[in-house]
Amino acid sequence: MGHLLSHPIEDKNVDYKTYTKLSYCIGSMQGYRMSMEDAHDAKINEDESIAVFGVFDGHGGQQCAEYLSQHLTKHIFKKLVQLQEASYSNQSKKHASGNKPIFKILKDSFFKMDNDLSNSSNFINCGSTSVVTAIIDNKIYVANTGDSRCILSTNKGYAKTLSFDQKPSVIGERVRIENSNGYVINNRVNEILALSRAVGDFKFKTPYLTSTLNRYILDNITEKYAKGQQQQKKKEEQERREQKQAHDNSSNNSDGDISQAIKNNNVDKLSSLQITDHEYIHIPPELFQVTVEPEILIFDMNQLQTPEFIVIACDGIWDCFKNDQIVQLIRDKLVLGWKLNKIVEYILNDCLTMANTYTGIGLDNMTLIIIAIHPTKSLEDWYSDMIVKIEKEKKLR
């Protein structure tokens, strides 16, 4: 958890924006941490057909999270706008087909950010989680790397998970870590990192291995090595024939020439042995001990009822609340007539009251976004409808 302050910094950065089809409130607070390593961003186009929200929880410094807040959401937003414009034109019909183009934009954007960061020494020792929620074509796409999380409240008020925490203890993550020669102890990669996926953390992203426990790789390397040995034997036989021929023709050569020929043959043989003895196993970024590859989930509002709201937050919030607890809390405050900004501030303060130095709960930086979805009504009408709906559920009407 690192060094902590004796008293939390309770100053809050709250951004409350109202639009025609959706509205949101973002709140962040440093809390007990020595510095603020969280970052966030939101982009919405003029007709509100595209919206992109991101929460980034940094570790080892704030540089990586800050970089993502300045570039990742903007890059995804720009690509989605280009995709939408292409789908409206007659130049390329394939852009408008299915989810595949959007999947590609989201994944490519994450890999691009990681590659860009790898070119600077300033980001070697830091990293960041990244959860990005993109709303386009009346669908909600959530791309997640790390343990920040996105959920929504369904039309009936139930919490629905739109991302899964990527921890080293998850079996699929652990298999990848161990196949790339890492290990998991105390639920940490190599006893250090509590995440199995992240942007940055390049010390866990070696692109090659000198050995592996992966049976598939071993079988292929063994075959490759055997083939190399066969080629080496053929080369040695050829060298022996050439050496014998050189010896037979020794009468036509000086002693110096013979010595030089033998020396050259020995050097070639030594070089050949060195090359075949050093086999490097190259692995793609998807198989690194800590990969940046995001998992993507979709909620299709064309097929399912429009949700009440979306919640995106870093693990500092989720350490304090379970999914259903935070949905219930928000709805309980809405029925009292509270607005989103007041609810966000309340949740941040409530997390501080749970501070526990033994468990670490309530001691982290905190960032929270609540997005109200109201495509056919104003935000004020949404507030009123939520009050009526929840009062009926509670049989207060």
Side-chain angles (χ1 to χ4, degrees):
M1 185 61 67
H3 297 292
L4 300 172
L5 299 170
S6 57
H7 298 282
I9 296 178
E10 300 182 45
D11 295 341
K12 300 171 184 64
N13 180 11
V14 178
D15 182 17
Y16 183 28
K17 295 287 179 63
T18 301
Y19 293 89
T20 305
K21 298 179 181 178
L22 59 83
S23 302
Y24 68 86
C25 183
I26 304 175
S28 60
M29 182 176 65
Q30 182 174 329
Y32 283 93
R33 285 294 187 95
M34 297 292 291
S35 62
M36 182 60 173
E37 296 180 338
D38 285 359
H40 59 267
D41 192 28
K43 303 287 184 192
I44 301 177
N45 66 344
E46 292 183 1
D47 63 0
E48 301 175 47
S49 60
I50 299 176
V52 181
F53 301 88
V55 169
F56 314 102
D57 184 356
H59 48 267
Q62 62 182 6
Q63 303 97 310
C64 190
E66 286 292 337
Y67 184 90
L68 293 173
S69 68
Q70 295 169 11
H71 296 88
L72 179 56
T73 46
K74 181 169 69 175
H75 181 78
I76 291 174
F77 180 79
K78 179 180 177 181
K79 291 294 183 181
L80 291 177
V81 169
Q82 292 174 351
L83 179 69
Q84 188 182 70
E85 291 174 350
S87 68
Y88 289 158
S89 70
N90 296 323
Q91 296 176 356
S92 178
K93 295 182 180 179
K94 65 180 181 180
H95 288 290
S97 59
N99 302 312
K100 188 175 180 180
I102 298 176
F103 269 54
K104 187 176 189 309
I105 287 173
L106 292 172
K107 285 199 173 187
D108 288 352
S109 298
F110 275 66
F111 280 109
K112 173 179 167 45
M113 293 299 114
D114 208 45
N115 182 68
D116 291 347
L117 290 171
S118 68
N119 295 323
S120 174
S121 59
N122 296 329
F123 301 97
I124 294 297
N125 296 316
C126 67
S128 176
T129 70
S130 179
V131 57
V132 174
T133 299
I135 304 174
I136 182 174
D137 296 334
N138 211 32
K139 296 179 183 178
I140 302 170
Y141 296 83
V142 179
N144 179 53
T145 291
D147 61 358
S148 293
R149 194 184 308 167
C150 177
I151 67 170
L152 60 76
S153 175
T154 66
N155 185 259
K156 296 186 179 296
Y158 300 118
K160 183 173 182 61
T161 302
L162 289 183
S163 69
F164 296 96
D165 298 353
Q166 294 151 351
K167 298 283 194 178
S169 56
V170 177
I171 186 61
E173 302 295 295
R174 183 164 187 162
V175 167
R176 188 193 69 249
I177 293 166
E178 293 180 349
N179 281 346
S180 55
N181 288 354
Y183 60 94
V184 177
I185 293 181
N186 296 328
N187 293 325
R188 292 178 176 266
V189 181
N190 301 346
E191 301 182 72
I192 300 173
L193 191 63
L195 305 170
S196 57
R197 301 193 190 196
V199 181
D201 293 310
F202 296 110
K203 290 184 177 180
F204 300 91
K205 295 179 178 178
T206 306
Y208 61 86
L209 307 174
T210 55
S211 64
T212 181
L213 298 176
N214 188 304
R215 175 64 7 190
Y216 175 79
I217 295 178
L218 285 174
D219 290 343
N220 282 272
I221 289 299
T222 302
E223 182 180 348
K224 180 181 177 183
Y225 182 77
K227 185 177 180 181
Q229 289 293 91
Q230 291 176 356
Q231 292 176 347
Q232 181 180 338
K233 287 181 180 179
K234 290 181 181 179
K235 186 174 182 180
E236 289 176 348
E237 291 176 358
Q238 179 66 22
E239 289 173 350
R240 283 196 294 269
R241 285 195 296 268
E242 291 175 355
Q243 188 174 357
K244 182 179 179 182
Q245 184 178 0
H247 180 73
D248 293 341
N249 296 332
S250 60
S251 59
N252 297 325
N253 296 305
S254 64
D255 292 341
D257 292 337
I258 295 174
S259 298
Q260 187 62 36
I262 294 173
K263 182 179 178 181
N264 289 339
N265 283 337
N266 288 336
V267 170
D268 291 341
K269 183 177 180 180
L270 180 60
S271 299
S272 176
L273 284 170
Q274 288 175 336
I275 291 171
T276 55
D277 285 347
H278 291 275
E279 294 283 356
Y280 290 96
I281 306 165
H282 293 271
I283 58 175
E286 293 85 349
L287 298 183
F288 288 167
Q289 291 177 17
V290 175
T291 180
V292 72
E293 182 181 18
E295 288 184 337
I296 303 175
L297 295 180
I298 306 174
F299 185 91
D300 190 348
M301 293 184 288
N302 297 307
Q303 304 294 328
L304 301 169
Q305 289 184 310
T306 302
E308 295 175 342
F309 53 84
I310 301 171
V311 181
I312 313 168
C314 66
D315 67 330
I317 299 294
W318 301 116
D319 286 343
C320 299
F321 296 99
K322 295 180 180 179
N323 295 355
D324 55 347
Q325 288 176 333
I326 202 165
V327 167
Q328 190 62 50
L329 173 60
I330 293 171
R331 297 178 97 246
D332 286 346
K333 299 306 179 184
L334 285 172
V335 76
L336 297 177
W338 287 27
K339 306 303 182 185
L340 291 181
N341 56 332
K342 187 176 180 181
I343 296 173
V344 165
E345 290 184 20
Y346 177 86
I347 292 174
L348 295 176
N349 285 327
D350 204 23
C351 289
L352 289 180
T353 66
M354 304 180 195
N356 187 312
T357 55
Y358 180 75
T359 62
I361 291 175
L363 302 177
D364 204 351
N365 298 145
M366 298 166 194
T367 300
L368 169 72
I369 304 178
I370 302 177
I371 307 166
I373 309 295
H374 48 89
T376 60
K377 64 187 79 169
S378 67
L379 179 61
E380 290 304 318
D381 288 340
W382 179 83
Y383 279 128
S384 299
D385 290 349
M386 288 296 296
I387 292 173
V388 172
K389 178 199 287 190
I390 298 170
E391 284 182 345
K392 287 182 177 179
E393 291 174 1
K394 296 178 178 292
K395 298 182 179 180
L396 301 175
R397 283 191 178 228

